[in-house]
Amino acid sequence: MKRPLGAGKKAGAADGKTIDPFRLPRDRAFWRETLAAYWYLIPAFLVLGTFVFYPFFSAFKLSLFKWSSLNPPGTFIGFENYRYIFHDKYFWRAMGHTFYYVGITVPVTLALSILVATLLNQGLRFLSFARTSFFLSYISPVVAMAMVWRWMYNVDYGLINYFLSFFHIDAIAWLNDPRYSLPAVILLSVWHYVGYQAIILLAGMQSIEQQYYDAAKVDGASGFQTWWKVTVPLLSPQIFFVFIISLIGSFKVFTEINVLLSGPGPLRSAETLVYYIIRSSGRIDHATNHIGRAAAASVVLFGIIFVFTIIQLTLTQKRVHYD
Amino acid sequence: MLRKLTLVGLAAVMLFGMAAIAQEPVTIEFWHAMSSGHQPNLQKLVDDFHAAYPYITVTLVYQGNYGALQGKIDAAVVAKNLPAIAQVYENWVTPIASILYPIGNFMTDAEKADIIDGLVPSNTYNGVLTTVPFNKSIMVMYYNKSLVTTPPTTWAEFLELAKALTVDVDGDGKIDRYGTAFRPAANPEQFLIFLEQAGGSILNADWTEVTLNNDAGKAAVEFVGSLIPFSYITSEYMSDHIKDAAMFVDTSAGIGYNVKAATNAGFELGVATLPAGPANFNSMIQGTNLAVFNTENLTQAQKDAAVLLAKFLIRPENTVFWAEKSGYQPVVKSAYNTQEWLNWVATHDYQIQMSEQMLNSFSQILHPNYGDMRNVLSSGFDEIMRGVVPPLEGLESMAAEIEALLE
């Protein structure tokens, strides 16, 4: 991860000068290469600019306006939309639900996917079948999958309550009880993403060179010690990758909730930030469109994800081993 | 003589000229949210329209569900690229009422008077009939015929029956079947019906004051509060819980799903008009209207063609065809006396109750913040029915939140 500064310094040490590779002489060749690089970057920049940067800055701009369909973007009202959402009890509830969802979904999915990847890495006879089976949950469309889970959660005929009845647990109204609606979504999400994350981790595990395991064996390490001291550290780039991806994805949960609960759940118990944003924009239940408020909430969500990503990058950099 | 001839000649030229102008081919887009089951029937109506007006071509554009249609219309307003005609909910177009082309200005008084009374206020903007009703459903009472012999006709009877039909069948201390059911979060209209039946409303006539928590509002919320112990509360469709309640108020558009669920559960489902409150037994109409847009991207010929289409679709024979095929209700009074409709009713007895309810109805208010108000009612009604807040306290809280929306 660190820049190869040492190489430049060593090269320059012979004639007594220190050459900084980031301060190369700016001759014609340098400018030609730089220009060429920009040409290659243009397509990506155009796509990112149109679909990522422009919408982001546009959302920030809209968050400062009281939206008007007839005269967009409407009246400039400064930070009034932010003041409104910060005083809206449903915004804070949505924030709480989002952190609850992320706080459970991300670590549980990651832990399970490490476990699944480890099991799949044990040289199973039907490895490709097992791999495909786990991956199927991820490639199934979310809407179709949520419809199936609706049936599984059915209070009277659902598969889940049927299994619980073996342990003499009373039928749970998963989708109609405010205490269980969000856990129901979490369970579905964990099932959905575990296969995807496990496949990435499995690929990572299979790329770990045998010599490390051989060395551990020579040193007399037990199976668990080898896993903990060799596999997990060398898997850290992949773990780090799925952790970030899963964190960002979890903060943006919407479809699972909307389909599974046909709305924000009883007493809005599963209304997350993205659900709040979409509701504020008037896209649900013929609501009034407060584009400005929706934009303000989405800027806040961006800020939260940004901060978390920075924290993760900083904290995990020390613990991620790339070789 | 020569002068007369000249005048006749001029008149003839003008007539032919106008005819020629009128016959100029014109194409319009009709944005709708009618899913695949309804599309062939909508296409049939459009084909009939083409036969009646050969110079007009209507392109049906399916925009997805209502949320998607609303989004497309909002975007088209900003992009100044609206279709000539679209399905709209009342509060979608209130903020953009100034760019609607008032269809009522091109209707005779008799045509306007033919629209069902409960539908007129929700299509009238600034005193002018601007949109016209299209696909409309009404909330009615569904009941399990094996449990309810005579459906309740008053609030008192409703409460009494709900109480009697709430039972613990297997004696395990838990209620297995409730007298009635509510979907408060998904269907706050269930509360608005009791409010209307008590003689109340969300706001006063000129939208300057919240009247939700006046005496009528209190009577309504106390009545639904008294039903809580005998009510199954869900946010899912009633067809998924058909066995959980003996009777429930639900949309007429759900008849197909509800009857199928009841048949699968082994009983027959009846339909009745709603039990009457202190003021009336009115029910709430839901569904969209047709709006013609008056924007620069549309030519006069396109706007005229769209008005013709809107008027055509609510003709008695067409609204009857649409109702028979779609399950929505006819939107003009004269449709209910056509032989076609009477024949239909003769073989679909639930329609008698639905038709009677349709003629005793009300619609949502046109306030631009109605969407927000409905959100408040949805959350508040859910909290009341799930016992989180006492009914009167919940009512005051909803009134305060709606008050803030008037500013």
Side-chain angles (χ1 to χ4, degrees):
Chain A
M1 205 46 193
K2 297 210 165 145
R3 292 167 177 173
L5 287 169
K9 280 179 184 169
K10 269 180 197 166
D15 58 1
K17 287 182 192 168
T18 303
I19 297 173
D20 184 342
F22 295 96
R23 285 181 172 276
L24 293 167
R26 300 192 171 185
D27 55 10
R28 275 179 70 113
F30 169 81
W31 288 114
R32 205 169 44 238
E33 278 177 23
T34 306
L35 193 67
Y38 280 112
W39 272 111
Y40 286 119
L41 280 173
I42 280 177
F45 200 77
L46 277 179
V47 173
L48 286 173
T50 311
F51 297 107
V52 178
F53 302 126
Y54 172 73
F56 170 71
F57 288 111
S58 183
F60 183 72
K61 181 187 159 194
L62 287 178
S63 73
L64 306 174
F65 285 81
K66 182 178 166 58
W67 175 257
S68 158
S69 304
L70 291 179
N71 297 303
T75 321
F76 180 79
I77 52 167
F79 289 95
E80 182 57 28
N81 287 320
Y82 292 90
R83 195 198 64 80
Y84 179 90
I85 61 168
F86 290 143
H87 285 85
D88 183 3
K89 64 180 178 187
Y90 293 113
F91 175 77
W92 291 111
R93 283 187 199 174
M95 181 83 88
H97 298 152
T98 307
F99 275 90
Y100 175 17
Y101 174 85
V102 174
I104 296 182
T105 309
V106 175
V108 170
T109 313
L110 188 60
L112 281 176
S113 55
I114 294 175
L115 187 69
V116 169
T118 307
L119 292 175
L120 289 177
N121 199 29
Q122 300 302 304
L124 289 176
R125 281 187 70 176
F126 303 105
L127 179 63
S128 58
F129 174 74
R131 219 164 31 197
T132 312
S133 309
F134 275 101
F135 206 59
L136 266 181
S137 66
Y138 180 68
I139 57 169
S140 312
V142 178
V143 173
M145 196 185 65
M147 293 301 288
V148 172
W149 277 75
R150 268 177 77 101
W151 278 108
M152 287 174 37
Y153 281 132
N154 185 291
V155 65
D156 297 318
Y157 317 106
L159 203 60
I160 294 175
N161 279 350
Y162 176 69
F163 283 125
L164 291 179
S165 70
F166 293 147
F167 304 99
H168 305 289
I169 297 172
D170 283 345
I172 294 172
W174 290 96
L175 308 179
N176 198 29
D177 185 327
R179 290 170 302 170
Y180 294 107
S181 53
L182 204 49
V185 179
I186 290 173
L187 197 56
L188 158 68
S189 300
V190 169
W191 174 82
H192 181 50
Y193 291 105
V194 109
Y196 167 69
Q197 297 189 6
I199 295 297
I200 292 176
L201 296 179
L202 178 64
M205 280 181 187
Q206 291 178 342
S207 66
I208 297 173
E209 288 185 30
Q210 188 58 34
Q211 59 187 14
Y212 297 110
Y213 291 110
D214 294 341
K217 208 171 182 179
V218 169
D219 289 346
S222 69
F224 177 76
Q225 281 173 325
T226 310
W227 181 79
W228 183 244
K229 298 279 185 186
V230 177
T231 311
V232 172
L234 289 174
L235 198 61
S236 54
Q238 286 79 16
I239 293 176
F240 176 59
F241 170 75
V242 294
F243 190 48
I244 294 231
I245 293 294
S246 154
L247 188 93
I248 294 172
S250 297
F251 268 113
K252 298 194 288 188
V253 61
F254 170 75
T255 313
E256 290 90 334
I257 295 168
N258 200 33
V259 179
L260 190 65
L261 300 168
S262 309
L267 300 174
R268 298 200 180 283
S269 52
E271 182 166 85
T272 54
L273 274 178
V274 171
Y275 200 101
Y276 178 90
I277 290 167
I278 294 176
R279 180 163 69 82
S280 301
S281 72
R283 289 288 82 81
I284 292 170
D285 281 346
H286 329 308
T288 313
N289 55 352
H290 299 290
I291 304 290
R293 276 179 211 164
S298 59
V299 170
V300 172
L301 177 62
F302 166 80
I304 292 169
I305 296 178
F306 186 71
V307 167
F308 269 86
T309 311
I310 295 292
I311 292 173
Q312 272 189 321
L313 276 170
T314 318
L315 289 184
T316 51
Q317 216 162 30
K318 293 175 193 160
R319 295 189 166 272
V320 174
H321 304 265
Y322 282 91
D323 49 36
Chain B
M1 186 64 189
L2 188 66
R3 206 170 145 192
K4 266 187 183 173
L5 272 174
T6 315
L7 276 174
V8 170
L10 264 175
V13 167
M14 278 178 70
L15 264 175
F16 280 117
M18 280 170 73
I21 290 165
Q23 297 301 316
E24 199 68 25
V26 53
T27 301
I28 56 170
E29 279 192 1
F30 176 13
W31 286 10
H32 69 93
M34 297 286 94
S35 55
S36 56
H38 294 317
Q39 282 175 16
N41 305 317
L42 192 55
Q43 188 60 56
K44 154 85 169 64
L45 287 171
V46 167
D47 291 343
D48 291 350
F49 179 74
H50 287 158
Y53 301 93
Y55 65 98
I56 302 173
T57 304
V58 179
T59 311
L60 286 174
V61 183
Y62 175 60
Q63 296 287 17
N65 62 20
Y66 286 128
L69 175 62
Q70 185 188 7
K72 298 276 174 58
I73 291 174
D74 284 346
V77 172
V78 177
K80 300 187 179 5
N81 191 25
L82 281 155
I85 182 168
Q87 270 184 299
V88 295
Y89 266 98
E90 288 85 344
N91 58 301
W92 295 0
V93 286
T94 308
I96 55 165
S98 61
I99 59 163
L100 297 181
Y101 196 62
I103 302 170
N105 286 355
F106 306 93
M107 292 169 74
T108 64
D109 287 345
E111 283 172 335
K112 284 191 266 190
D114 198 23
I115 292 175
I116 286 174
D117 297 342
L119 289 167
V120 175
S122 62
N123 283 284
T124 304
Y125 294 79
N126 303 317
V128 180
L129 183 78
T130 304
T131 52
V132 290
F134 178 53
N135 61 318
K136 292 292 179 179
S137 53
I138 184 93
M139 303 286 276
V140 287
M141 172 77 87
Y142 289 91
Y143 61 95
N144 181 333
K145 278 189 174 175
S146 60
L147 298 169
V148 180
T149 43
T150 314
T153 55
T154 63
W155 280 11
E157 284 178 23
F158 185 23
L159 177 60
E160 199 182 328
L161 200 55
K163 197 172 178 178
L165 291 169
T166 300
V167 287
D168 169 13
V169 180
D170 55 14
D172 66 350
K174 287 180 190 159
I175 294 167
D176 300 296
R177 190 198 59 231
Y178 288 84
T180 188
F182 288 95
R183 302 170 63 220
N187 227 332
E189 288 74 20
Q190 288 169 332
F191 174 69
L192 290 178
I193 286 171
F194 291 120
L195 183 67
E196 161 82 12
Q197 292 180 348
S201 57
I202 306 174
L203 305 176
N204 63 352
D206 57 3
W207 298 344
T208 53
E209 202 185 319
V210 176
T211 51
L212 180 72
N213 54 343
N214 65 13
D215 288 346
K218 285 176 183 150
V221 84
E222 278 179 337
F223 177 64
V224 292
S226 69
L227 285 169
I228 294 173
F230 321 115
S231 301
Y232 182 76
I233 307 300
T234 180
S235 43
E236 296 175 298
Y237 288 113
M238 277 315 298
S239 52
D240 293 338
H241 296 279
I242 205 81
K243 287 202 292 189
D244 292 318
M247 52 186 173
F248 55 90
V249 176
D250 198 12
T251 170
S252 60
I255 179 97
Y257 304 101
N258 290 340
V259 166
K260 191 178 171 191
T263 309
N264 290 341
F267 65 86
E268 205 180 329
L269 203 63
V271 172
T273 52
L274 299 183
N280 55 54
F281 74 103
N282 287 355
S283 184
M284 191 162 184
I285 301 180
Q286 289 170 282
T288 67
N289 306 316
L290 296 173
V292 172
F293 294 100
N294 187 15
T295 46
E296 285 173 10
N297 67 307
L298 298 165
T299 63
Q300 188 58 45
Q302 285 176 312
K303 287 180 258 185
D304 292 343
V307 167
L308 284 175
L309 176 64
K311 287 173 63 179
F312 180 86
L313 290 173
I314 62 166
R315 279 186 194 171
E317 65 276 21
N318 294 330
T319 189
V320 163
F321 171 82
W322 180 237
E324 287 179 7
K325 296 293 180 187
S326 66
Y328 294 111
Q329 303 298 305
V331 294
V332 293
K333 294 173 207 162
S334 56
Y336 290 83
N337 298 320
T338 59
Q339 195 53 50
E340 176 63 33
W341 183 250
L342 294 173
N343 293 343
W344 174 260
V345 171
T347 53
H348 298 80
D349 59 348
Y350 59 82
Q351 271 297 351
I352 299 169
Q353 316 299 331
M354 288 183 180
S355 300
E356 189 184 348
Q357 194 67 74
M358 195 69 189
L359 298 169
N360 293 276
S361 58
F362 68 102
S363 298
Q364 73 171 60
I365 55 170
L366 293 175
H367 194 283
N369 277 349
Y370 179 77
D372 286 343
M373 291 177 192
R374 189 179 180 277
N375 254 327
V376 169
L377 293 167
S378 161
S379 304
F381 188 33
D382 202 22
E383 287 177 2
I384 291 169
M385 296 312 283
R386 289 180 189 272
V388 177
V389 288
L392 282 171
E393 199 181 300
L395 182 76
E396 292 303 332
S397 157
M398 289 192 287
E401 285 187 53
I402 291 174
E403 180 86 48
L405 295 171
L406 291 184
E407 291 165 2

